[in-house]
Amino acid sequence: DGSGDLKYLHSMIHKLATMLLPTETRIEDDNNDSTNVNWWSLPGLVVGNRNYNFFSPRGVTRWGFQTVVRLLMNGDGLRISDSQCGYKLMTLSAAKVLYKNLHLTGWSHDVEVLYRARQLDIPIEEIKIDWEDKDGSKVVASGVAKVSLQMLWDVLRLRWNYSISQEWQVIQE
């Protein structure tokens, strides 16, 4: 769907480092990079936020899905605006706990990852990115209605199994 461009990687690394390191312990080099090696051991996550026009087809479906997520997650959502953006950068310690034994697969696994991060108080920041939809979207090829219904079902399952039946547990390592 997207450009596959890694032009935001440097910005995301910098955002992750500044989020995880207190100002007084941050050391900046000539390239404005945080060089303190210890911050990579802390859990943290940076998520891209695409620049969709609200009135575009993707903008409307994005708003609808994020609204459903906010409503089903007790009004505060996942602490970000664009759970489905593919631009995500996290530390290894965050990835180990967030991706261990995921229950949701497919398009909505991102929601479970972000839900777990919220439950574990893992710091999350967003970074605005320019996004260009490309021809050959996997969502369009799969059928927008079918994908949307599956994602809705997955979010309902997530809410039920983590919060109501408590069959699924967020386990911190």
Side-chain angles (χ1 to χ4, degrees):
D1 289 359
S3 65
D5 191 345
L6 296 177
K7 67 183 175 184
Y8 296 99
L9 183 59
H10 179 72
S11 299
M12 293 178 87
I13 290 170
H14 187 264
K15 182 92 154 174
L16 193 58
T18 55
M19 174 179 65
L20 295 176
L21 283 176
T23 305
E24 62 273 6
T25 63
R26 204 174 303 140
I27 301 168
E28 305 283 335
D29 68 11
D30 293 338
N31 295 322
N32 205 29
D33 288 331
S34 296
T35 57
N36 185 322
V37 296
N38 295 329
W39 70 269
W40 277 108
S41 64
L42 302 170
L45 171 64
V46 175
V47 179
N49 183 350
R50 296 169 285 186
N51 60 345
Y52 280 130
N53 173 353
F54 177 79
F55 296 104
S56 71
R58 286 264 180 126
V60 171
T61 57
R62 174 184 160 195
W63 174 83
F65 182 69
Q66 296 305 320
T67 300
V68 167
V69 169
R70 268 191 303 283
L71 290 171
L72 292 175
M73 298 295 155
N74 292 330
D76 59 353
L78 301 171
R79 298 191 308 216
I80 62 156
S81 303
D82 190 1
S83 64
Q84 302 314 112
C85 181
Y87 276 94
K88 291 184 179 66
L89 178 69
M90 64 190 75
T91 60
L92 181 60
S93 59
K96 282 182 176 180
V97 69
L98 296 177
Y99 280 91
K100 186 175 184 172
N101 300 320
L102 279 181
H103 301 284
L104 299 180
T105 58
W107 297 109
S108 50
H109 84 278
D110 298 291
V111 176
E112 185 175 9
V113 168
L114 294 166
Y115 175 80
R116 287 177 170 198
R118 185 186 78 177
Q119 294 301 110
L120 296 170
D121 289 324
I122 292 175
I124 302 173
E125 291 280 345
E126 277 187 305
I127 186 168
K128 296 236 182 261
I129 63 167
D130 293 320
W131 187 269
E132 183 181 331
D133 288 325
K134 302 288 184 180
D135 290 336
S137 168
K138 295 173 191 135
V139 173
V140 172
S142 303
V144 174
K146 180 181 175 186
V147 169
S148 298
L149 289 172
Q150 181 61 53
M151 291 175 72
L152 174 60
W153 174 245
D154 286 346
V155 173
L156 288 167
R157 285 179 40 224
L158 182 142
R159 178 73 172 137
W160 177 265
N161 287 306
Y162 275 113
S163 301
I164 299 170
S165 75
Q166 298 183 348
E167 187 175 322
W168 298 350
Q169 299 292 317
V170 178
I171 301 171
Q172 185 163 3
E173 291 187 34

